[in-house]
Amino acid sequence: MKRVAVYPGSFDPLTNGHLDIIGRGAALFDELVVAVLQNTDKEPLFTVEERLRVLREVLRPLPNVRVDRFEGLLVDYVRSVGGRAIVRGLRAISDFEYEFQMALMNRHLCEDVETLFLMAAEAYSYLSSRLVKEVAKLGGSVHGLVPPPVEKLLAERYRSAAARKSKR
Ligand code: ADP
């Protein structure tokens, strides 16, 4: 039987920390589904379509990684793709509380889906999508922190935002 895991997240945008977790997860399972959450509460910088496009482009070299989107309960989605595990990344203690609650809630909802925590390389342990957006917005370099297509997309997004502002 094929062992399938799901790595869910916002990926707004994809960072090298996410990529590190994807590489580690893909080595453990027959198939890893990277699933973009369509979250109506959060105000994202990039649309789900933009995030899917970047993920597909960057993850093309990984044959057992598939990119998808989902909404609703994560455990329902995991079951719908025949998954047995949820992969999440842990950076620091600060991630723990939230991840712990989510993992236990998901177990409550579905006993046979296991949550697996993987740690990214130390170099990425301080890296978050939120921080990357903040740095890029203020004109700082995010080179080496995100894959090249994301770097390009961030530059375009903030350049056009700056241009709009200066026109006003
Ligand atoms: P979410 O909104 O679900 O937290 P994110 O895209 O921010 O979505 O993160 C998805 C998962 O990847 C989470 O488990 C998060 O802890 C993990 N993650 C994000 N950045 C890193 C990183 N630099 N190193 C390890 N794990 C990370």
Side-chain angles (χ1 to χ4, degrees), residues 137 157-168:
K137 189 177 179 180
R157 185 60 44 97
Y158 286 122
R159 205 183 307 126
S160 53
R164 273 200 306 276
K165 227 178 183 176
S166 66
K167 267 191 201 149
R168 273 198 224 130

Side-chain angles (χ1 to χ4, degrees), residues 8-15 18 22 34-59 67-70 129 133 147 149-150 153 157:
S10 310
F11 307 106
D12 184 41
L14 175 68
T15 70
H18 291 129
I22 292 168
V34 178
V36 178
L37 170 65
Q38 289 180 259
N39 190 340
T40 44
D41 299 341
K42 279 191 188 171
E43 183 75 37
L45 178 64
F46 297 109
T47 64
V48 170
E49 286 70 25
E50 286 171 319
R51 285 178 266 161
L52 288 170
R53 209 179 311 128
V54 163
L55 279 162
R56 291 203 169 107
E57 183 183 341
V58 175
L59 299 176
V67 177
D68 195 10
R69 66 204 287 168
F70 78 102
S129 299
K133 283 183 279 194
V150 173
L153 216 57
R157 185 60 44 97

Side-chain angles (χ1 to χ4, degrees), residues 7-21 35 37 39 42 51 70 87-92 95 98-99 102 116-121 123-130 145:
Y7 178 38
S10 310
F11 307 106
D12 184 41
L14 175 68
T15 70
N16 287 347
H18 291 129
L19 281 179
D20 186 278
I21 298 292
L37 170 65
N39 190 340
K42 279 191 188 171
R51 285 178 266 161
F70 78 102
V87 167
R88 294 286 287 177
L90 272 187
R91 281 161 293 197
D95 279 340
Y98 173 70
E99 294 291 341
M102 290 259 294
L116 210 76
F117 292 104
L118 300 178
M119 268 175 258
Y124 303 130
S125 60
Y126 62 95
L127 195 54
S128 69
S129 299
R130 186 185 57 78
L145 304 180

Side-chain angles (χ1 to χ4, degrees), residues 25-122:
L28 296 174
F29 292 92
D30 298 315
E31 181 176 54
L32 182 72
V33 184
V34 178
V36 178
L37 170 65
Q38 289 180 259
N39 190 340
T40 44
D41 299 341
K42 279 191 188 171
E43 183 75 37
L45 178 64
F46 297 109
T47 64
V48 170
E49 286 70 25
E50 286 171 319
R51 285 178 266 161
L52 288 170
R53 209 179 311 128
V54 163
L55 279 162
R56 291 203 169 107
E57 183 183 341
V58 175
L59 299 176
R60 202 174 298 131
L62 301 180
N64 66 332
V65 176
R66 189 159 70 79
V67 177
D68 195 10
R69 66 204 287 168
F70 78 102
E71 55 189 340
L73 275 182
L74 173 61
V75 286
D76 288 343
Y77 174 74
V78 175
R79 267 193 288 228
S80 77
V81 298
R84 279 292 321 275
I86 296 167
V87 167
R88 294 286 287 177
L90 272 187
R91 281 161 293 197
I93 300 285
S94 49
D95 279 340
F96 185 76
E97 177 91 30
Y98 173 70
E99 294 291 341
F100 183 70
Q101 283 180 11
M102 290 259 294
L104 289 183
M105 180 54 81
N106 284 328
R107 181 180 286 166
H108 168 80
L109 294 170
C110 181
E111 185 65 44
D112 43 295
V113 169
E114 210 60 68
T115 302
L116 210 76
F117 292 104
L118 300 178
M119 268 175 258
E122 283 154 60

